Amino acid sequence: MESKGTDQWSDPETGAKAITKWRASIDEGRAWVVVDDSESVLATVSRGPIDRDFWTDDDRPETAFYLYKLIVARRAAGRRLGERLVDWASNLAALEGRDWVRIDTWRTNEGLHSYYERIGFEHVRTESPPHRRSGWLAQRPVTKLSLPDSPLAVGSRTAV
C-alpha cells in the first residue's frame, strides 16, 4: 500500500481491528470469494452492517447494501474482478429491494476514491470521527452496472 502512496493499513492497531471484523464476517457468512479452476482465491468481498459512525437515519440506511473488504489478488489484476464483484453485490442488493451499494474507504486513499468514482460511485461526504481513519463515503445505485455482460454468479464455476 505504501508503494501506491497511501498510508492505509499502516497502523498495526487499525489493521488488527480490521482483521477481527473480517473474520467475524466470514464466520457469519457475509464474505464471498472468487476462485479459479484450481480453487485458488482471486478476490473477496464482504457485506457489513450499517456503520453508525458514518451513515445516519437521514441517509435511509435500510435502503443500502454495505460493501466491505473488496480485495483482488495482484495475480488477478486486469480481469476487472473488482467491478464484477461490485456488480454482483448490486444485483444481490436489487434482489433484496435495496436502492444503493454503499462504501466507506480510507479518507486519504485518493487512488481508491478515484477507482470507485470511475465505476459509478458518487461521493456522498467525508466523515472524520477521531477514532476512525476511514470515512470517505460513496454510493452507487443498484441499477448502475459496470459490466452487465460479465456477471459473477454465486456457486458458479465460471472461469474468470
Side-chain angles (χ1 to χ4, degrees):
M1 300 291 276
E2 186 178 2
S3 69
K4 294 192 174 283
T6 179
D7 65 346
Q8 189 165 342
W9 308 122
S10 60
D11 172 17
E13 183 180 342
T14 302
K17 285 179 187 175
I19 295 293
T20 298
K21 286 181 180 179
W22 193 14
R23 286 186 174 143
S25 68
I26 293 167
D27 292 344
E28 295 166 7
R30 295 183 290 110
W32 297 272
V33 295
V34 175
V35 296
D36 62 16
D37 289 337
S38 66
E39 300 294 317
S40 293
V41 175
L42 299 177
T44 184
V45 69
S46 298
R47 172 189 206 151
I50 300 163
D51 191 328
R52 290 302 189 158
D53 279 347
F54 304 129
W55 302 100
T56 69
D57 289 340
D58 290 341
D59 295 314
R60 299 186 55 232
E62 71 285 352
T63 65
F65 178 106
Y66 294 87
L67 189 78
Y68 291 94
K69 306 288 184 289
L70 175 61
I71 304 166
V72 177
R74 289 303 85 212
R75 71 182 181 284
R79 298 184 193 188
R80 302 180 77 181
L81 289 179
E83 290 170 86
R84 292 172 70 193
L85 278 166
V86 172
D87 284 357
W88 176 84
S90 294
N91 287 330
L92 178 56
L95 287 171
E96 294 176 351
R98 300 184 191 277
D99 299 319
W100 305 100
V101 172
R102 289 185 174 151
I103 57 170
D104 74 85
T105 70
W106 207 256
R107 290 188 302 264
T108 59
N109 193 337
E110 294 177 6
L112 192 56
H113 305 166
S114 294
Y115 169 77
Y116 280 116
E117 288 174 329
R118 277 194 311 275
I119 65 170
F121 280 81
E122 292 186 19
H123 179 237
V124 174
R125 66 181 173 275
T126 300
E127 298 285 347
S128 300
H131 61 287
R132 301 287 295 271
R133 302 208 40 204
S134 62
W136 186 86
L137 309 180
Q139 63 186 13
R140 183 177 98 164
V142 297
T143 55
K144 183 172 193 133
L145 302 177
S146 297
L147 300 166
D149 296 328
S150 298
L152 293 173
V154 175
S156 111
R157 295 291 180 209
T158 306
V160 291

